[in-house]
Amino acid sequence: MAPSTCISWLAVNRCMLVTMMIFGLGSAFQPSLIVPNRRGAFMTSSTKVNGMFDFITDAFSNTEYDNRRVEASHILVPSEEKASEIKVLLLAGEQTFAEAAQAFSSCPSSQKGGSLGGFEPGKMVKEFDTVCFDESIPVGEVVGPLKTQFGYHLIRVDKRFENQNRSEGTGIG
């Protein structure tokens, strides 16, 4: 490429950069493609590039981001019968959820009263997530026994909220 062609090409790129900054990433490329001809001048091709650069704008969108978060506690036991017995104790008010978790749960979270802390969708097994993020289940209600690959759970959602800082989440406990 001749030096004058390089300078002209640089000017067009700078033009596209300014257009992107003002109107958004895709707009600089949407009307038509600007290409150099054999003489070093620039011409506009009649070929539309609609959608050609959508991947750039899509990379900066956050449409698939799930803002939902929950704080939950659980009690993990090996059998459905044991989980049912514990639930009866909880509903009768004979033990608090934290006391029952410390006494019966086989999960390390039992040391914290069964608390798993805050987490986002997809961090737990599917069955667990389904219960925790189901808005029809009231906060504070004990749900279960629920069977997962780990055993039987009694689950209590302590809090549902939207992640305000839009971070990648807090993970488990």
Coordinates of all heavy atoms in Angstrom, one line a residue, residues 36-73:
P36 N -11.0 0.6 0.1 CA -10.1 1.4 -0.8 C -10.3 0.8 -2.2 O -10.4 -0.4 -2.4 CB -8.7 1.2 -0.3 CG -8.8 -0.1 0.5 CD -10.2 -0.2 1.0
N37 N -10.2 1.6 -3.3 CA -10.2 1.1 -4.6 C -8.8 1.0 -5.1 O -7.8 1.3 -4.3 CB -11.1 1.9 -5.6 CG -10.6 3.3 -5.8 OD1 -9.4 3.6 -5.4 ND2 -11.4 4.2 -6.3
R38 N -8.5 0.6 -6.3 CA -7.2 0.4 -6.8 C -6.3 1.7 -6.9 O -5.1 1.6 -6.9 CB -7.2 -0.2 -8.2 CG -7.7 -1.7 -8.1 CD -7.7 -2.3 -9.5 NE -8.2 -3.6 -9.4 CZ -8.3 -4.5 -10.4 NH1 -7.9 -4.1 -11.6 NH2 -8.8 -5.7 -10.2
R39 N -7.0 2.8 -7.0 CA -6.2 4.1 -7.1 C -5.9 4.7 -5.7 O -5.3 5.8 -5.7 CB -7.0 5.1 -7.9 CG -7.2 4.6 -9.3 CD -7.9 5.7 -10.1 NE -8.1 5.2 -11.5 CZ -9.3 5.2 -12.1 NH1 -10.3 5.7 -11.5 NH2 -9.4 4.7 -13.3
G40 N -6.3 4.1 -4.6 CA -6.0 4.6 -3.3 C -7.1 5.4 -2.8 O -7.1 5.8 -1.6
A41 N -8.1 5.7 -3.5 CA -9.3 6.5 -3.0 C -10.2 5.5 -2.4 O -10.2 4.3 -2.5 CB -10.0 7.2 -4.2
F42 N -11.2 6.1 -1.6 CA -12.1 5.2 -0.9 C -13.5 5.3 -1.5 O -13.9 6.4 -2.0 CB -12.2 5.6 0.6 CG -10.9 5.2 1.3 CD1 -9.9 6.1 1.4 CD2 -10.8 4.0 1.8 CE1 -8.7 5.7 2.0 CE2 -9.6 3.6 2.5 CZ -8.6 4.5 2.6
M43 N -14.1 4.2 -1.5 CA -15.5 4.2 -2.1 C -16.4 3.4 -1.2 O -15.9 2.6 -0.3 CB -15.5 3.5 -3.5 CG -14.9 2.1 -3.5 SD -14.9 1.5 -5.2 CE -15.5 -0.1 -4.9
T44 N -17.6 3.6 -1.3 CA -18.6 2.9 -0.5 C -19.1 1.7 -1.3 O -19.6 2.0 -2.4 CB -19.8 3.8 -0.1 OG1 -19.2 4.9 0.6 CG2 -20.7 3.1 0.8
S45 N -19.0 0.5 -0.8 CA -19.6 -0.6 -1.5 C -21.1 -0.6 -1.4 O -21.6 -0.1 -0.4 CB -19.0 -1.9 -1.1 OG -19.5 -2.3 0.2
S46 N -21.8 -1.3 -2.3 CA -23.2 -1.4 -2.2 C -23.6 -2.5 -1.3 O -24.8 -2.7 -1.1 CB -23.8 -1.5 -3.6 OG -23.3 -2.7 -4.2
T47 N -22.6 -3.3 -0.9 CA -23.0 -4.5 0.0 C -23.2 -4.0 1.4 O -22.4 -3.4 2.0 CB -21.8 -5.5 0.0 OG1 -21.4 -5.8 -1.4 CG2 -22.1 -6.7 0.7
K48 N -24.4 -4.3 1.9 CA -24.7 -4.0 3.3 C -24.0 -5.0 4.2 O -23.9 -6.1 3.9 CB -26.2 -4.0 3.5 CG -27.0 -3.0 2.7 CD -26.9 -1.7 3.3 CE -27.7 -0.7 2.6 NZ -27.7 0.6 3.1
V49 N -23.6 -4.5 5.3 CA -23.0 -5.4 6.3 C -23.9 -5.5 7.5 O -23.4 -5.6 8.6 CB -21.6 -4.9 6.7 CG1 -20.6 -5.1 5.5 CG2 -21.6 -3.5 7.1
N50 N -25.2 -5.5 7.3 CA -26.1 -5.6 8.4 C -25.8 -6.8 9.3 O -25.7 -7.9 8.7 CB -27.5 -5.6 8.0 CG -27.9 -4.3 7.3 OD1 -27.4 -3.3 7.7 ND2 -28.9 -4.4 6.4
G51 N -25.6 -6.6 10.5 CA -25.4 -7.7 11.4 C -24.0 -8.3 11.5 O -23.6 -9.1 12.3
M52 N -23.1 -7.8 10.6 CA -21.8 -8.3 10.5 C -21.0 -8.1 11.8 O -20.2 -8.9 12.2 CB -21.0 -7.7 9.3 CG -19.7 -8.3 9.1 SD -19.0 -7.5 7.6 CE -17.6 -8.4 7.3
F53 N -21.2 -7.0 12.4 CA -20.5 -6.7 13.6 C -21.3 -6.7 14.9 O -21.0 -6.2 15.9 CB -19.8 -5.3 13.5 CG -18.8 -5.2 12.4 CD1 -19.1 -4.8 11.1 CD2 -17.5 -5.7 12.6 CE1 -18.2 -4.8 10.1 CE2 -16.6 -5.7 11.6 CZ -16.9 -5.3 10.4
D54 N -22.4 -7.4 14.8 CA -23.3 -7.6 16.0 C -22.6 -8.2 17.2 O -22.9 -8.0 18.3 CB -24.5 -8.4 15.7 CG -25.5 -7.6 14.8 OD1 -25.3 -6.4 14.7 OD2 -26.5 -8.2 14.3
F55 N -21.6 -9.1 16.9 CA -20.9 -9.8 17.9 C -20.2 -8.8 18.8 O -20.0 -9.0 20.0 CB -20.0 -10.8 17.4 CG -18.7 -10.3 16.7 CD1 -17.5 -10.1 17.4 CD2 -18.8 -9.9 15.4 CE1 -16.4 -9.6 16.8 CE2 -17.6 -9.4 14.8 CZ -16.5 -9.2 15.5
I56 N -19.8 -7.6 18.2 CA -19.0 -6.7 19.0 C -20.0 -6.0 20.0 O -19.7 -5.9 21.2 CB -18.4 -5.6 18.1 CG1 -17.3 -6.2 17.3 CG2 -17.8 -4.4 19.0 CD1 -16.8 -5.3 16.2
T57 N -21.2 -5.6 19.6 CA -22.1 -4.9 20.5 C -22.7 -5.9 21.4 O -22.9 -5.6 22.6 CB -23.2 -4.2 19.7 OG1 -23.8 -5.2 18.8 CG2 -22.7 -3.0 18.9
D58 N -22.9 -7.2 21.0 CA -23.4 -8.2 21.9 C -22.4 -8.5 23.0 O -22.8 -8.9 24.1 CB -23.7 -9.5 21.2 CG -24.9 -9.3 20.2 OD1 -25.6 -8.3 20.4 OD2 -25.1 -10.2 19.4
A59 N -21.1 -8.4 22.8 CA -20.1 -8.7 23.8 C -20.2 -7.7 25.0 O -19.9 -8.0 26.1 CB -18.7 -8.6 23.2
F60 N -20.7 -6.5 24.7 CA -20.8 -5.5 25.8 C -22.2 -5.4 26.4 O -22.4 -4.6 27.3 CB -20.4 -4.1 25.2 CG -19.0 -4.1 24.8 CD1 -18.6 -4.2 23.5 CD2 -18.0 -4.0 25.8 CE1 -17.2 -4.2 23.2 CE2 -16.7 -4.0 25.5 CZ -16.3 -4.1 24.1
S61 N -23.2 -6.2 25.9 CA -24.5 -6.2 26.5 C -24.5 -7.2 27.6 O -23.8 -8.1 27.7 CB -25.5 -6.5 25.4 OG -25.5 -7.9 25.1
N62 N -25.4 -7.0 28.5 CA -25.5 -7.8 29.7 C -26.9 -8.4 29.8 O -27.5 -8.6 30.9 CB -25.2 -7.0 31.0 CG -24.2 -7.7 31.8 OD1 -23.8 -8.8 31.6 ND2 -23.8 -7.0 32.8
T63 N -27.5 -8.8 28.7 CA -28.9 -9.3 28.6 C -29.1 -10.6 29.3 O -30.1 -10.9 29.8 CB -29.4 -9.3 27.2 OG1 -28.6 -10.2 26.5 CG2 -29.5 -8.0 26.6
E64 N -28.0 -11.4 29.3 CA -28.2 -12.8 29.9 C -27.8 -12.8 31.4 O -27.8 -13.8 32.0 CB -27.3 -13.8 29.2 CG -27.8 -14.0 27.8 CD -27.0 -15.0 27.0 OE1 -26.3 -15.8 27.7 OE2 -27.0 -14.9 25.8
Y65 N -27.4 -11.6 31.9 CA -27.0 -11.6 33.3 C -28.2 -11.7 34.2 O -29.2 -11.1 34.0 CB -26.3 -10.2 33.6 CG -25.8 -10.1 35.0 CD1 -24.5 -10.6 35.3 CD2 -26.5 -9.4 36.0 CE1 -24.0 -10.5 36.6 CE2 -26.0 -9.3 37.2 CZ -24.7 -9.9 37.5 OH -24.2 -9.8 38.8
D66 N -28.1 -12.6 35.2 CA -29.2 -12.9 36.1 C -28.8 -12.2 37.5 O -27.9 -12.6 38.1 CB -29.4 -14.4 36.3 CG -30.7 -14.7 37.0 OD1 -31.3 -13.8 37.7 OD2 -31.1 -15.9 36.9
N67 N -29.6 -11.2 37.8 CA -29.4 -10.4 39.0 C -29.8 -11.0 40.3 O -29.5 -10.5 41.4 CB -30.1 -9.1 38.9 CG -29.2 -7.9 38.6 OD1 -28.0 -8.1 38.6 ND2 -29.8 -6.8 38.3
R68 N -30.6 -12.1 40.2 CA -31.2 -12.7 41.4 C -30.1 -13.3 42.3 O -29.2 -13.9 41.8 CB -32.2 -13.8 41.0 CG -33.4 -13.2 40.2 CD -34.3 -14.3 39.8 NE -33.6 -15.3 39.0 CZ -34.0 -16.6 38.8 NH1 -35.2 -17.0 39.4 NH2 -33.3 -17.4 38.1
R69 N -30.4 -13.2 43.6 CA -29.5 -13.8 44.6 C -30.4 -14.3 45.7 O -31.5 -13.7 46.0 CB -28.5 -12.8 45.2 CG -27.6 -12.2 44.2 CD -26.5 -13.2 43.7 NE -25.6 -12.7 42.8 CZ -25.8 -12.7 41.4 NH1 -26.8 -13.3 40.9 NH2 -24.9 -12.2 40.6
V70 N -29.9 -15.3 46.5 CA -30.6 -15.7 47.7 C -29.6 -16.0 48.7 O -28.4 -16.2 48.5 CB -31.4 -17.0 47.4 CG1 -32.6 -16.8 46.5 CG2 -30.6 -18.2 47.0
E71 N -30.1 -16.0 50.0 CA -29.3 -16.5 51.1 C -30.2 -17.6 51.6 O -31.4 -17.4 51.8 CB -29.1 -15.4 52.2 CG -28.1 -14.4 51.8 CD -27.9 -13.3 52.8 OE1 -28.4 -13.4 54.0 OE2 -27.2 -12.3 52.5
A72 N -29.6 -18.8 51.8 CA -30.3 -20.0 52.2 C -29.6 -20.8 53.2 O -28.4 -20.7 53.3 CB -30.7 -20.8 51.0
S73 N -30.4 -21.6 53.9 CA -29.8 -22.6 54.9 C -30.4 -23.9 54.5 O -31.5 -24.0 54.0 CB -30.2 -22.2 56.3 OG -29.7 -20.9 56.6

